[in-house]
Structure formats: structure tokens, C-alpha cells
Amino acid sequence: MPENETRHYDVVINGASVAGCTAAILYARQGAKVALLERRSSMTAHKVLCTHYVQASAYPVMAELGLADALNGIGAIRNSADYWTKWGWIRPEAKTGPGVLPHGYSVRRQSLDPLIRRMAADTEGVDLRLGHTVNELLTEDGRTTGVAGVAGTSPDGPFALRAQLVVGADGKDSTVARLTGAPSETAENNRFSYFAYFRGLRHPEGRTSARVYYLDPDNAYVMPNEDGVTVVAAVLSKTRLDDFREDIEGAYLDFVRSLPEGPEIDKAERISKVIGTVNYPLISRHPSGPGFALIGDAALTSDPLSAVGCAWAMQSASWLVETTAPALTGDDPLDGALADYAKRHATETGGHQHLIADYALARPFNEIEAFMFEGAARDTRLAEHFHLFGSRLMTVEDYMAPEIVARTEKVTGWSLSEESLRILSGEAPGAATHPAGSDGARPESTEAAR
């Protein structure tokens, strides 16, 4: 059929990266006819700015897709992490050993993106169209609201595709979000980041655990990936931007060399230039409306430091398919299903994103953070608990459950202030944003509790 003729699908997905390909595969398996559009023309196109760390919360989706087996096949790392703090290392696997706690995968996007894109292309019911740029949304004949398809340009000329549902899986600068006018909120990220790839970097005791540094307020991470390649990132307060403006490479290398028990980058081969960005705001959008939905970064762009982007991309795609596929392939009302998806998205991500956005201010640790980090550094059970929360496998409420607070008090020898306890109990609004002290020390109000 010529490109200038209109074709009809159940779903049109704009963006054939992690979120879009996940949704396309899952929709097609439910019997939906899917058009998967990608503005780039290469099957091997991939995202550059990424932590390359897929959290354990997405493992069930990866297993359902068959992606977990495929990642094992290319040597992706079953990930975990140790965390440096001023109180010592948080080592979640100290008692269990590697491979026991829930895991995701560490894998470079140059491997992940083409892999999942080929999986989507090979799925019956998915029509992958590369080099297709969306620049217009179509509406139902005679209706003033509601999306009913997309139009745009391709190497073969203009195209128009109609569908019951249009999905924006097109990243933080989402075209679908812009064209629909989806309500959004933007939070400032007061950190910037630079990273590079190294081959042959030695890891302590030969382990492949990532290392994450909480230098308060600066951060860093060292994450082993497939093929013996490690990504090393500097994530710094914007108060240090001037140092990097003068000499990005030199400032990056100096910072990495200064990390406590840091990676021996001078004994490894750097195989990339220093890559990064100085401005990466956190963007939250309402994830659905009449005839459209947003998934992945199009719905919620979080702080890269939290390493939740790939996991939430897969999970949000799964939530969308779970709630809307019956409407697309049966008689259920689509508008109600889209509203259910929006509620699910808010429930799953809202509490975590609130804390992530607050920490992205690049402020010193607040009292609650200092309390929990110190406890996790001093107690193996609390370290495992810390890992599960950081993997987005529990709610904020479960993370700060009364029994966990009581154990942390016993381990650290100090107690939270009355203000923080009121926040945890829901009696006071907001987060405990008062700092624990510019050097991360315990607040004076709690010293006496020791």
C-alpha cells in the first residue's frame, strides 16, 4: 500500500526504544494489530545518555518478554550494587552472596536497544516502520477531541495511520505529549553528569557489583556491563560546573581519581570520549487522555542518578497493556481503561518520584536519609532492605515501616526527631527536607538519644 494511503491499526506507538518495543510486543501477544514507528532509520540506533542499569523491579516484564534469557545470552550483568557513604559501605550481598537477592541487568544501550527492537520486529502483529517521523495527530471525523491516529513523513513520502490508541513512547521531549498538550510539571535537577566507558577495569575481588558513591551532595557510579566494559559516571552539584567548563575531560578524570576506594581508571583502557549533559530536568506528565497514552520517559522523566528510566519504561508499558488491551481487542470502554492506567502509573511511581525529585535538589542529606543510610551501612538486614527499596520493589511506606525504624534506632543508637516521626506517620505534610548538617552529621536535637 502506498505511503500516502491511510492504514488502520489497533495501536500506533511512536518510539521504538525500550518502552515502545515492550508495549508493541505485549499488545501484539494480546491480539492487537500494532504499528511501531521510529524516526531513526537504523535498527541499531540507541540512546546515548543512560545509566545502563535496569532495576530489578522490571525483571518480571523482562522474563515475560523473553528478554531476560536474551540478555543472559549476550552476557549482560545480573546487577547489584554496593554503596559508599560516610558511615561506611552499604553491602546488600554481604550475607547472601551474589545472585541471591532480586536483580535486574546492566547492559549498554547499544546492545539493549537493537536487541529489543529486533524482538518487536519479529513479533507477529507488529509492523515496525523505521524512518517515520510523526508531526501531526489525527482526530475522529466530526469530533473536536480525542486522538485517532498520526500523520507524518517517511523516506517514501507522507503517511497517515489510524488507530484506536496512540502511544507516546518517544522520550522526554515527546512529540505525542506536545501535540496532545498533556499537562506536565517540571522539577529542577541541580546536578549534572559526565561519564565514559572503560575496558579492562579491575573490580574488587573480581565481583561485578556496581559501586555507587553518595558523597553528599556529589555522586558517582561504577557499573560493569557486558563484554568487559564498565561505565564510570560523575554526577555533581551544579556549583561545580565552572570546573568542568574549563576542562571537561580533565575535571572528570580528576574527580574519578579522587573517589574513595575508587576505580583504577589509569590501569584500564578508556574506549569513549567523556559524554554527558549539564541540564536534565525531571518531567512528569499526565500519562493518558482521550485516545492517547504516554509511557517511559514521555510520561515520567526521572533523575538519571536514580537509574529507574529503563525499568519504568518497561513497567509502564506493561501497566498500559494490562489495563487497555481488553478494550482494544474486546468491548471494554477505552476511556475508562486509560483512566485506570493513569491511576496505576501514579500509584506505582508517585512516592518514589517525590523522593527522587527532592534529592535532585543536590542538598545535603536530610535527617531521615542520614538515619536510613547509616543504619544500612551498619546492619546487613537493613542493607538488604535498602537494596529492595532502591530496586523499586517496595513502597516508601514499607521502606519506612515502624519495625524498620525501630531496628535502625537500635543499630545507629539515635532516634529521629519528633518532626520526622510526624512526617512518617502522616501527621505532617511533605518530606523531611531539613539537612542533617552540612557535613552529614546527626542533628543536635537527636544527639542526646544516643
Side-chain angles (χ1 to χ4, degrees):
M1 181 179 290
E3 281 291 318
N4 59 3
E5 294 186 28
T6 302
R7 298 191 64 173
H8 293 261
Y9 296 85
D10 295 308
V11 188
V12 171
I13 300 172
N14 190 40
S17 190
V18 173
C21 291
T22 299
I25 294 168
L26 295 178
Y27 269 129
R29 289 180 181 176
Q30 294 296 315
K33 186 178 180 182
V34 183
L36 178 59
L37 312 182
E38 172 57 49
R39 62 178 176 79
R40 297 168 297 184
S41 59
S42 173
M43 280 291 286
T44 60
H46 61 277
K47 186 176 180 179
V48 175
L49 295 177
C50 185
T51 56
H52 311 297
Y53 193 99
V54 188
Q55 294 283 4
S57 60
Y59 185 87
V61 184
M62 290 187 278
E64 180 180 3
L65 293 171
L67 181 61
D69 288 340
L71 290 173
N72 287 329
I74 65 170
I77 303 298
R78 296 187 177 193
N79 57 22
S80 60
D82 294 336
Y83 306 84
W84 187 95
T85 77
K86 63 167 295 185
W87 301 281
W89 283 95
I90 298 173
R91 300 189 188 275
E93 295 179 326
K95 182 174 290 186
T96 65
V100 176
L101 297 176
H103 70 84
Y105 287 93
S106 291
V107 58
R108 288 173 294 167
R109 294 296 292 270
Q110 69 184 65
S111 298
L112 173 61
D113 288 16
L115 176 62
I116 195 169
R117 192 173 294 124
R118 291 190 183 98
M119 290 177 65
D122 291 340
T123 300
E124 184 178 357
V126 176
D127 180 11
L128 174 61
R129 294 176 164 227
L130 300 176
H132 280 57
T133 300
V134 171
N135 52 39
E136 181 184 354
L137 297 180
L138 306 178
T139 57
E140 289 284 3
D141 293 339
R143 290 180 59 184
T144 57
T145 61
V147 179
V150 300
T153 58
S154 76
D156 297 321
F159 69 89
L161 307 176
R162 287 198 170 272
Q164 299 181 64
L165 176 63
V166 171
V167 177
D170 43 359
K172 69 181 182 67
D173 299 317
S174 170
T175 297
V176 173
R178 174 176 56 82
L179 292 175
T180 59
S184 67
E185 295 181 1
T186 299
E188 184 69 20
N189 189 339
N190 287 335
R191 293 187 181 89
F192 66 100
S193 61
Y194 284 99
F195 66 90
Y197 298 97
F198 294 83
R199 189 182 298 279
L201 190 66
R202 188 182 67 83
H203 300 290
E205 302 173 0
R207 298 174 65 223
T208 55
S209 296
R211 282 172 285 165
V212 181
Y213 292 82
Y214 283 92
L215 303 171
D216 197 19
D218 295 330
N219 301 81
Y221 59 78
V222 181
M223 292 187 177
N225 286 261
E226 79 284 5
D227 296 332
V229 174
T230 300
V231 59
V232 181
V235 190
L236 304 143
S237 166
K238 286 185 177 179
T239 58
R240 301 187 62 168
L241 261 177
D242 286 345
D243 297 339
F244 280 73
R245 286 195 177 104
E246 294 177 4
D247 179 6
I248 291 174
E249 182 169 307
Y252 163 82
L253 294 173
D254 286 345
F255 175 77
V256 173
R257 290 174 182 133
S258 74
L259 292 173
E261 301 178 50
E264 297 179 330
I265 56 174
D266 294 317
K267 296 181 180 180
E269 176 191 7
R270 178 155 63 93
I271 60 173
S272 76
K273 62 182 181 180
V274 178
I275 307 161
T277 181
V278 299
N279 188 36
Y280 205 91
L282 285 63
I283 304 171
S284 301
R285 297 185 176 100
H286 191 74
S288 68
F292 79 91
L294 305 173
I295 56 178
D297 279 358
L300 180 58
T301 302
S302 196
D303 184 358
L305 179 62
S306 64
V308 295
C310 285
W312 279 354
M314 295 180 190
Q315 290 178 274
S316 61
S318 179
W319 303 330
L320 178 64
V321 174
E322 182 179 335
T323 53
T324 62
L328 294 174
T329 59
D331 298 324
D332 292 353
L334 181 58
D335 287 348
L338 288 169
D340 289 343
Y341 163 65
K343 292 175 185 177
R344 175 79 180 273
H345 195 284
T347 298
E348 297 281 359
T349 65
H352 285 279
Q353 178 68 358
H354 176 75
L355 296 185
I356 290 168
D358 188 53
Y359 189 63
L361 296 173
R363 51 160 178 74
F365 277 149
N366 63 43
E367 182 185 81
I368 294 176
E369 289 162 346
F371 180 69
M372 296 301 290
F373 273 68
E374 181 176 354
R378 300 187 187 282
D379 181 79
T380 300
R381 179 183 165 193
L382 292 176
E384 293 175 7
H385 187 75
F386 182 92
H387 165 79
L388 294 176
F389 178 69
S391 300
R392 314 303 159 185
L393 288 168
M394 68 174 65
T395 65
V396 176
E397 290 76 16
D398 288 339
Y399 179 58
M400 299 299 302
E403 62 270 22
I404 296 298
V405 172
R407 185 179 183 93
T408 306
E409 288 178 344
K410 182 177 180 180
V411 167
T412 63
W414 61 285
S415 301
L416 291 171
S417 66
E418 288 299 320
E419 178 186 355
S420 292
L421 291 174
R422 285 197 300 271
I423 291 170
L424 293 180
S425 68
E427 295 176 8
T433 56
H434 54 286
S438 60
D439 63 350
R442 299 179 180 89
E444 292 182 1
S445 61
T446 61
E447 269 311 320
R450 296 193 61 192

